[in-house]
Amino acid sequence: MDKIARIDMGATGGPKISYEEVGEYSGLGGRALTSLLIAKEVHPLCHPLGAENKLVFAPGMLSGTTGSMTGRLSVGCKSPLTGTIKESNAGGQAAQVLARIGYAAVILEGKPAGDNLYKIIINKDGITIEVDNSLKLLDNYPLVAKLRGQYGDKVAYITIGSAGERQLLAASIACTDPELRPTRHCGRGGVGAVMGAKRVKAIILDDAGMKTRAPKDPEKFRDANRKFVEGLRKHPVTGEGLPAYGTNVLTNVLNEAGGYPTRNFKSGVFEGGAKLSGEAQAELEIKRGGTATHGCHRGCVIQCSGIFNDKDGNYVTKQPEYETVWSHGGHCGIDDLDTVARLDYMDDNIGVDTIEMGVTIGVAMDAGIIEFGDKEGAIRLMGEVGNGTPLGRVLGCGAEITGKVFGVEKVPVVKGQALPAYDPRPIQGIGVTYATTTMGADHTAGYAIATNILKVGGDVDPLKTEGQVELSRNLQIATAAIDSTGMCLFIAFAIMDQPETFQAMLDMLGAFYGIEMTGDDVVALGKKVLSAERDFNARAGFTKHHDRLPRFFYTDPIAPHNQVFSVPDEEMDQLFNW
């Protein structure tokens, strides 16, 4: 990863490619690279869908190596959904392939005139760009099928569906998994709309003739990777719960804790939760000839994904993750896994964020567009999004806009982005993260559920306010660093509980780059990333008053704990005070 490619999509005479050394970004990857670059090069007041915005694709610091769990691709820009800086990452094969070809980042700049649609081909010989208007308004599954006919199966694809082309604010960017299904999405923040604004429909990555990235100290790297894998396999979350039931193992856990938002955050318990649980899902997948254990990229040892088939054994979608099962399930009062799976497929195919769309449909239900629990109605609304109807365009722009259009008072968003699957009233720590993260409401930015509910890395009472700001601060710092390595965030369960596994991760980084890595170095990297993101947001006009939850979380108690969110504003305002 010794070079950066810039593609000016708005250049006179057609897109223009230039190459440069990594320079000041040397040794960085993933979120560190995307956020530092966006913070430096993008005007914070630019329109996110205009020529001044940039879209950065960056594999992680360890992507393209033989290291386990290193397959996350980061995409960065100014978000059209939130107006903040945005980093959204996904698994799949794209990060590993792009890193092996040698690019630390590929940056899309400018905006072309006219309505031509482009595809970008990246291989060992360089980058080529072609007009291909035959791809217009194809959704992700038929799009990848068409591309495979031309470029084959030994490549990775990055694509947008019709939602991205239409520049809908919930649009995602899809990366293909090892079976070349477009199932892994940079979902949050509308990054797909930015790719659509650049008029880029697909990026084809071909690493034929390229080798795996070699560490400075191969023997030390190999030994550290072995210890790292051993640590993941012995931890009960990464070695047992996630491989057996996927992330949806959380449905029963959150429902029992009273933190499972139901029918647009009106209750913390869903009576149909057991029907949606990870245990029920895994049993159904295996019974129908699918699988409950599957990796989203080669080199994954946690294997938290799976394959969901219909009753006749035909593929429907990859295993829906917990947040998807919740957003299309309990949030909408739906307790049917087949409906959730069908909606998950539609999300992936159209190219929209599953969290944003599920929450949006729940808000539409609250508005009376359809009733809570209306399975066919939910599928019909998703069809409106896919067809680009006027209603579909409203829904495809997310929960906040849908709430405003239909006069819904209580819309669960922070900085315009929908809250994920954990109610912040009975789980105060995740509320601090939702309110303060640089990205808009995002559970992955500082996953307080780990310590509040799962008791990983300590025990902070979820119902009390004490310790929540410190917990969220530490998690947000650690997450910003992990997102930069290209590693899956799920490694955090093991490295928080097992010092030897954390040391193994440090040793992998140190051995690869020929340096000594310490815990302090990780903290410094996380703070550097967050500081750059906060600075961008401040220049974009965001203040401490934007670091708040919607008012109803402070005034409306929720059953069964009958509690409101009550962490003082003054404490939250000190979260980034380092």
Side-chain angles (χ1 to χ4, degrees):
M1 302 205 309
D2 58 355
K3 57 183 179 289
I4 289 175
R6 293 180 187 268
I7 304 174
D8 182 358
M9 296 302 300
T12 302
K16 180 181 179 183
I17 308 163
S18 61
Y19 304 93
E20 62 191 45
E21 301 295 322
V22 290
E24 64 184 289
Y25 304 113
S26 178
L28 297 178
R31 179 173 168 182
L33 202 160
T34 64
S35 288
L36 293 176
L37 193 147
I38 292 296
K40 178 182 179 182
E41 299 188 9
V42 172
H43 197 294
L45 298 178
C46 76
H47 193 292
L49 301 179
E52 287 186 289
N53 202 5
K54 299 185 181 186
L55 189 65
V56 184
F57 298 84
M61 295 161 66
L62 291 176
S63 298
T65 72
T66 57
S68 298
M69 310 300 300
T70 58
R72 305 295 291 190
L73 179 77
S74 288
V75 175
C77 61
K78 178 177 178 177
S79 165
L81 184 73
T82 66
T84 67
I85 199 166
K86 175 58 65 178
E87 184 268 356
S88 186
N89 63 67
Q93 290 298 109
Q96 303 285 27
V97 176
L98 184 59
R100 282 195 289 269
I101 300 173
Y103 290 98
V106 174
I107 308 169
L108 304 184
E109 304 178 338
K111 183 176 181 178
D115 63 352
N116 277 333
L117 202 55
Y118 296 87
K119 59 185 178 185
I120 298 172
I121 303 96
I122 303 177
N123 57 33
K124 64 181 178 59
D125 298 320
I127 298 176
T128 56
I129 305 174
E130 299 176 9
V131 173
D132 192 343
N133 290 321
S134 72
L135 306 180
K136 282 186 177 180
L137 291 179
L138 283 179
D139 283 321
N140 282 312
Y141 274 90
L143 170 62
V144 170
K146 182 179 176 69
L147 292 170
R148 289 175 69 177
Q150 184 171 0
Y151 299 99
D153 294 346
K154 295 182 179 180
V155 298
Y157 298 98
I158 300 173
T159 59
I160 57 171
S162 57
E165 272 191 78
R166 294 188 171 108
Q167 301 177 38
L168 303 184
L169 304 188
S172 62
I173 293 175
C175 300
T176 49
D177 63 17
E179 291 77 29
L180 293 176
R181 294 168 176 141
T183 59
R184 321 315 306 187
H185 286 242
C186 298
R188 308 239 66 191
V191 293
V194 180
M195 188 162 160
K198 307 294 184 190
R199 304 296 297 162
V200 174
K201 183 69 173 176
I203 301 174
I204 299 97
L205 304 170
D206 182 355
D207 64 352
M210 303 301 292
K211 296 181 179 178
T212 300
R213 295 174 66 207
K216 294 284 188 182
D217 187 335
E219 186 174 346
K220 184 178 179 182
F221 184 82
R222 189 164 47 248
D223 184 57
N225 187 47
R226 178 182 57 77
K227 293 176 179 175
F228 182 66
V229 171
E230 288 175 355
L232 294 175
R233 285 179 171 156
K234 77 177 184 181
H235 192 275
V237 175
T238 54
E240 298 174 15
L242 288 173
Y245 304 115
T247 59
N248 195 24
V249 70
L250 287 168
T251 290
N252 280 340
V253 174
L254 269 297
N255 215 25
E256 290 171 6
Y260 188 88
T262 300
R263 295 182 179 84
N264 197 25
F265 288 78
K266 290 183 173 58
S267 170
V269 177
F270 181 43
E271 71 281 2
K275 295 181 180 178
L276 298 175
S277 69
E279 292 84 344
Q281 182 173 266
E283 181 180 353
L284 191 62
E285 287 170 340
I286 294 169
K287 177 182 176 182
R288 292 176 172 181
T291 176
T293 306
H294 182 265
C296 75
H297 72 276
R298 297 185 182 95
C300 170
V301 297
I302 296 178
Q303 305 260 315
C304 71
S305 189
I307 301 297
F308 191 103
N309 290 341
D310 65 16
K311 60 183 176 56
D312 297 319
N314 300 310
Y315 173 84
V316 176
T317 187
K318 92 288 192 184
Q319 181 182 84
E321 296 190 22
Y322 165 65
E323 287 76 15
T324 305
V325 175
W326 161 77
S327 70
H328 285 306
H331 179 72
C332 293
I334 291 172
D335 62 3
D336 178 55
L337 282 170
D338 283 304
T339 300
V340 170
R342 185 173 173 189
L343 289 165
D344 180 73
Y345 170 82
M346 295 176 79
D347 289 329
D348 285 352
N349 193 37
I350 297 166
V352 287
D353 175 21
T354 62
I355 295 173
E356 194 69 43
M357 283 314 308
V359 173
T360 299
I361 291 173
V363 169
M365 289 174 165
D366 222 357
I369 306 303
I370 57 175
E371 296 294 322
F372 280 110
D374 183 350
K375 297 181 289 187
E376 291 305 317
I379 291 169
R380 189 169 64 252
L381 291 184
M382 278 300 302
E384 299 266 358
V385 178
N387 291 328
T389 65
L391 174 59
R393 286 174 180 263
V394 171
L395 298 171
C397 283
E400 182 176 63
I401 286 179
T402 298
K404 288 180 177 177
V405 169
F406 294 106
V408 178
E409 177 189 350
K410 298 169 184 176
V411 180
V413 300
V414 173
K415 301 182 182 78
Q417 183 163 280
L419 265 64
Y422 316 87
D423 197 293
R425 289 164 286 191
I427 314 171
Q428 303 268 312
I430 199 68
V432 175
T433 295
Y434 289 159
T436 60
T437 173
T438 53
M439 303 287 167
D442 183 353
H443 61 297
T444 67
Y447 192 63
I449 304 304
T451 308
N452 278 168
I453 300 295
L454 303 176
K455 310 308 178 188
V456 171
D459 183 0
V460 177
D461 189 333
L463 298 173
K464 297 182 178 178
T465 62
E466 291 79 9
Q468 306 295 356
V469 169
E470 181 182 6
L471 173 64
S472 180
R473 177 193 295 120
N474 292 337
L475 290 169
Q476 291 197 52
I477 291 170
T479 300
I482 292 173
D483 286 345
S484 303
T485 66
M487 289 182 155
C488 173
L489 189 57
F490 293 155
I491 69 166
F493 294 112
I495 66 175
M496 288 170 67
D497 269 347
Q498 300 166 178
E500 70 277 14
T501 309
F502 179 56
Q503 185 60 49
M505 185 195 78
L506 295 177
D507 290 343
M508 287 174 69
L509 287 162
F512 187 83
Y513 286 97
I515 58 175
E516 289 296 324
M517 282 287 291
T518 67
D520 289 342
D521 294 328
V522 172
V523 171
L525 175 61
K527 287 181 176 179
K528 182 178 181 179
V529 173
L530 289 169
S531 294
E533 293 169 350
R534 291 275 294 177
D535 176 64
F536 180 93
N537 288 351
R539 289 183 285 123
F542 288 87
T543 72
K544 63 182 181 182
H545 301 297
H546 295 93
D547 290 343
R548 303 289 184 262
L549 297 176
R551 189 62 191 158
F552 73 91
F553 287 111
Y554 299 84
T555 59
D556 294 11
I558 189 173
H561 298 286
N562 296 318
Q563 184 160 337
V564 297
F565 181 75
S566 54
V567 177
D569 292 348
E570 296 76 15
E571 288 188 26
M572 292 205 295
D573 293 341
Q574 297 303 312
L575 191 141
F576 295 100
N577 188 15
W578 50 68

